[in-house]
Amino acid sequence: MAEARVKRRFVAGAKCPECKAMDSIVLFKVNGVETVECIDCDYSEQQPDEKVAKKATGDVIGVFKP
Ligand SMILES: [Zn+2]
C-alpha cells in the first residue's frame, strides 16, 4: 500500500496529444499541482494552475468538491 491515493477525474472530450486517443485523459493533483495523464500511453504533463483543464477543452466529469 505504498501508492499514494490520488483522485483522478476523466476529462470528457479531451484528446491525448501523443497517441490521439479520445477520452483517455485523466486530471489529478500531485502536491497541489494539476497533472494530466493519458491512460493509453505514457503522456503526462504538469501545470501549476487550472490551465491544463482549460487547454483540454472538455467538461470535467465527477468533480470532487470538499
Ligand atoms: Zn496517449
Side-chain angles (χ1 to χ4, degrees):
M1 298 290 273
E3 221 169 285
R5 291 191 182 182
V6 182
K7 287 176 182 171
R8 295 187 178 204
R9 293 141 34 180
F10 273 91
V11 182
K15 189 163 82 171
C16 174
E18 279 291 315
C19 68
K20 314 295 185 195
M22 288 291 291
D23 297 331
S24 63
I25 298 293
V26 290
L27 175 68
F28 55 97
K29 275 193 176 180
V30 178
N31 297 325
V33 179
E34 293 281 350
T35 303
V36 287
E37 190 175 270
C38 176
I39 58 172
D40 276 4
C41 68
D42 288 335
Y43 169 77
S44 69
E45 187 179 355
Q46 289 190 336
Q47 296 214 359
D49 53 31
E50 301 284 341
K51 278 181 190 168
V52 169
K54 285 172 182 150
K55 195 168 75 175
T57 66
D59 293 325
V60 176
I61 310 172
V63 178
F64 291 90
K65 293 201 173 179

